[in-house]
Amino acid sequence: MWDFTSRQRGPLAPIGAITAPGQRARSAFVTHYGPVPAFRPERWKFRVFGATAFGAAHDLTLEQLHGLPTAQLTADLHCVTKRTWPDNNWGGVLVSTVLDLVPPAADVTHMMVWAEYGYSANLRLSDVTDGRAILATHHHGEPLSLEHGFPLRLVTPHLYGYKGPKWVRGIEYMVGDRRGFWEERGYHNRGEVRHEQRYSYQEAPDEGPPL
Ligand SMILES: Nc1nc2c(c(=O)[nH]1)N[C@H]1C(S)=C(S)[C@@H](COP(=O)(O)O)O[C@H]1N2
Ligand SMILES: [Mo]
């Protein structure tokens, strides 16, 4: 499993210590823009679209998603506003599993993860492969609560929380990069925690499309 360098346990870093730069541990929090969307099972589907290898979009029902191989990932959740929610165990389906099931075209470099109400986050393909990103259905073994993203949310612990949409409804494969919701509004296009990539003014010219 990926080595989450923002989380270190050992003689010098007792359990509970937050070693991500600039972050402070807090108890569980809920934060998002806008209201919590209602879950409408009869209308819910997960769509993989954009530059797929076979040129067609692919829809999955929640049952089909639940039938995919599962994985778990334990990590801190770092909000870019400097609060950290420590030690979360997420269960669900790795993004790699979806990439295997619906392969992207050879020239795909990024994905946009889309959620209810048009919330979105753009991610490099290399930031969501090799077990670094999970489409979570469970938290500490229980189904997600509505406020934490039921029925599906993305978690990418090495990136700030805004890179992990709650209430995810689809993935768009992209040839080249485009900014998501917060990435268009002043937050860093990549958002890597250990480098404190918080704001778009910190971006190097090759780290994001022009604003
Ligand atoms: N759909 C949606 N997902 C979202 C957000 C949002 O505004 N809308 N905010 C993100 C941010 S900034 C953070 S820090 C985390 C917070 O997750 P939590 O509420 O489960 O603690 O959700 C992320 N996912
Ligand atoms: Mo956040």
Side-chain angles (χ1 to χ4, degrees), residues 4-211:
F4 293 103
T5 47
S6 66
R7 180 83 186 153
Q8 292 170 9
R9 288 205 185 97
L12 299 176
I15 288 174
I18 300 303
T19 55
Q23 296 293 117
R24 289 179 296 264
R26 290 286 180 268
S27 49
F29 54 79
V30 171
T31 179
H32 53 262
Y33 181 81
V36 173
F39 172 55
R40 296 190 184 82
E42 68 289 352
R43 286 170 48 180
W44 198 96
K45 62 178 182 310
F46 180 82
R47 171 160 287 191
V48 185
F49 65 106
T52 60
F54 304 114
H58 187 92
D59 288 347
L60 289 157
T61 63
L62 202 50
E63 291 67 41
Q64 288 170 323
L65 266 167
H66 284 150
L68 296 175
T70 56
Q72 290 191 29
L73 197 159
T74 297
D76 302 332
L77 190 155
H78 304 291
C79 178
V80 71
T81 62
K82 304 197 172 179
R83 292 180 293 171
T84 289
W85 179 17
D87 253 333
N88 295 287
N89 173 261
W90 305 100
V93 175
L94 293 178
V95 173
S96 330
T97 303
V98 174
L99 287 162
D100 290 343
L101 186 76
V102 189
D107 49 356
V108 167
T109 54
H110 293 75
M111 60 170 57
M112 191 73 81
V113 177
W114 288 99
E116 302 283 355
Y117 298 138
Y119 185 87
S120 60
N122 58 317
L123 295 131
R124 296 181 184 178
L125 222 45
S126 56
D127 272 326
V128 295
T129 47
D130 300 328
R132 261 165 294 182
I134 191 167
L135 286 161
T137 53
H138 287 74
H139 181 252
H140 294 302
E142 300 289 330
L144 289 179
S145 63
L146 262 183
E147 59 192 5
H148 287 301
F150 180 86
L152 194 69
R153 76 173 294 169
L154 183 71
V155 178
T156 54
H158 68 298
L159 305 177
Y160 287 116
Y162 63 91
K163 289 293 189 179
K166 304 191 277 192
W167 314 295
V168 171
R169 291 293 302 274
I171 290 178
E172 177 188 357
Y173 294 151
M174 304 196 295
V175 178
D177 200 5
R178 237 164 59 217
R179 289 176 189 270
F181 183 85
W182 286 119
E183 296 82 358
E184 277 186 331
R185 290 169 175 78
Y187 290 95
H188 198 284
N189 190 56
R190 172 102 193 289
E192 200 179 9
V193 172
R194 66 181 167 142
H195 295 311
E196 281 203 75
Q197 295 176 333
R198 296 181 195 272
Y199 309 111
S200 46
Y201 66 73
Q202 298 171 287
E203 289 169 19
D206 62 343
E207 279 178 331
L211 264 165

